[in-house]
Amino acid sequence: MTGSGPLALGFRDAPGHLLRRAQQVHTALWSREVDDDLTGPQYTTLLVVAGWPDVDQSLAGTLASLDKSTVGGVVARLEKKGWILRIRHPEDGRRRLLVLTAEARTRLEHVTAAAARVQDLLLEPLRPDERDLLVSLLQRVAFPEPAEVSKGAPLQEITGLEIHSTPGYLIRRAQQMHYAIWNKHFGGELTSPQYAVLAVVAAQPSDQSQIGNRASLDSSNVTDIVARLVTRGWLRRTSDPRDKRKAIVELTSPAVTAMRHLTQSVELVQSDLLKHLTAHQRVEFIDFMVRVSRIPSDTVNSLAAP
């Protein structure tokens, strides 16, 4: 990239950002529609426990695309809520298998109806044929090896959504792929939300509230990110001449110098994320994700915990 290249990548051109925004929309819709005090990852874990035999916590995490630290919390909360039990493996006393409680099996059908409604609402901005195509494209992004999708079929019949055809799950899994690719390119030196803040400020110096709205970040995350980038010497705060109670955040000279190099790396991340799509499919994918993530902001009024 030359010195005349863009200082920052626009959010519409960043599938990683669109995935994060779509996941926020899905989470908010789920919180509104599902009334059984369950999150999306918790529901996926229930499907895994119901659909595969001899599932312990480790296998549940693998099948539900949850890392070790996350699946531990998810299983503990499901156990506390009375959805699952831990039982001793009949042939290996050191292993604890996860099974649904009788009440969970009864309630699963009701939750599944609500979960299906969430998926329909998420894809409402798309035509029916576009919805099927987006699911297909999400599968290719979320599972770079096609065989991985077929391996995800449950081994026993259950009352529940088919995980690997569920948009909300695929969006979360695709976002995990984005995170892994981002880490490969940046090695912990810069996070995706940090770049999003830099991109907002590069386009226009803003106060923290404006940054959060434009970057789709909550206020606590913006506060932490801005503080870290100020300490790093990439952002500075100045008093807002129109309102002395507010601080305007802007790029420092070192950040301006670094931004085009950072943006080049960010473009590589986005390209790697969509590398299994053709050029035409990439255009379609981004168009679909823009529309899915544009559900009115008043819909996204509360985000459920993981």
Side-chain angles (χ1 to χ4, degrees):
M1 178 177 295
T2 66
S4 60
L7 191 62
L9 189 65
F11 291 141
R12 194 201 181 286
D13 300 315
H17 173 82
L18 295 173
L19 285 167
R20 179 164 60 82
R21 172 63 182 171
Q23 186 176 4
Q24 290 175 331
V25 172
H26 178 268
T27 302
L29 289 170
W30 186 282
S31 180
R32 191 186 74 185
E33 299 293 328
V34 180
D35 59 1
D36 278 88
D37 191 28
L38 280 179
T39 66
Q42 288 171 3
Y43 174 73
T44 302
T45 303
L46 290 176
L47 295 183
V48 164
V49 172
W52 282 263
D54 294 343
V55 175
D56 58 17
Q57 183 170 295
S58 176
L59 181 58
T62 299
L63 293 171
S65 297
L66 300 171
D67 60 40
K68 289 183 180 180
S69 59
T70 302
V71 72
V74 166
V75 168
R77 284 189 283 274
L78 288 173
E79 187 176 22
K80 185 176 180 180
K81 293 173 182 178
W83 286 89
I84 63 172
L85 296 171
R86 299 178 199 252
I87 63 172
R88 190 183 301 275
H89 192 288
E91 299 174 1
D92 184 353
R94 295 170 299 178
R95 287 183 66 194
R96 293 293 186 273
L97 302 180
L98 307 178
V99 297
L100 296 190
T101 63
E103 181 184 4
R105 292 188 178 277
T106 301
R107 295 165 65 187
L108 192 58
E109 184 173 356
H110 170 74
V111 176
T112 292
R117 188 164 61 248
V118 170
Q119 311 313 308
D120 289 341
L121 290 169
L122 179 67
L123 300 189
E124 197 171 41
L126 306 181
R127 300 191 312 266
D129 60 311
E130 292 175 328
R131 297 172 193 178
D132 292 340
L133 180 54
L134 176 57
V135 168
S136 174
L137 296 176
L138 277 168
Q139 287 175 333
R140 298 186 67 179
V141 174
F143 295 94
E145 299 299 328
E148 293 184 61
V149 177
S150 60
K151 287 180 182 176
L155 301 179
Q156 48 201 33
E157 188 173 341
I158 60 171
T159 301
L161 299 181
E162 201 289 304
I163 297 175
H164 287 184
S165 298
T166 302
Y169 166 79
L170 291 171
I171 286 169
R172 177 168 62 83
R173 168 83 183 197
Q175 193 182 8
Q176 291 173 344
M177 295 300 298
H178 176 260
Y179 176 80
I181 295 168
W182 186 283
N183 245 13
K184 182 181 73 174
H185 284 273
F186 285 94
E189 289 299 312
L190 185 77
T191 67
S192 177
Q194 286 173 346
Y195 178 82
V197 168
L198 291 173
V200 167
V201 177
Q204 179 183 345
S206 308
D207 63 40
Q208 290 191 178
S209 176
Q210 293 169 329
I211 292 171
N213 289 335
R214 292 167 185 166
S216 298
L217 295 168
D218 65 42
S219 58
S220 61
N221 281 339
V222 172
T223 299
D224 178 66
I225 290 170
V226 168
R228 289 174 183 271
L229 293 175
V230 167
T231 300
R232 193 169 178 174
W234 283 15
L235 294 180
R236 63 171 169 260
R237 298 186 183 96
T238 60
S239 178
D240 186 341
R242 296 167 298 180
D243 186 348
K244 299 299 182 181
R245 296 168 299 177
K246 291 184 179 179
I248 297 297
V249 181
E250 55 188 6
L251 296 183
T252 62
S253 294
V256 171
T257 301
M259 276 300 289
R260 285 195 174 90
H261 172 72
L262 293 174
T263 295
Q264 184 177 19
S265 296
V266 172
E267 288 177 330
L268 289 175
V269 171
Q270 311 312 308
S271 179
D272 279 0
L273 180 67
L274 303 187
K275 68 181 179 182
H276 293 286
L277 305 185
T278 66
H280 177 67
Q281 287 172 334
R282 293 184 186 199
V283 172
E284 288 183 315
F285 180 80
I286 289 176
D287 174 56
F288 295 159
M289 292 303 298
V290 165
R291 284 190 271 160
V292 166
S293 64
R294 270 186 185 163
I295 289 177
S297 57
D298 61 352
T299 299
V300 189
N301 52 16
S302 64
L303 301 180

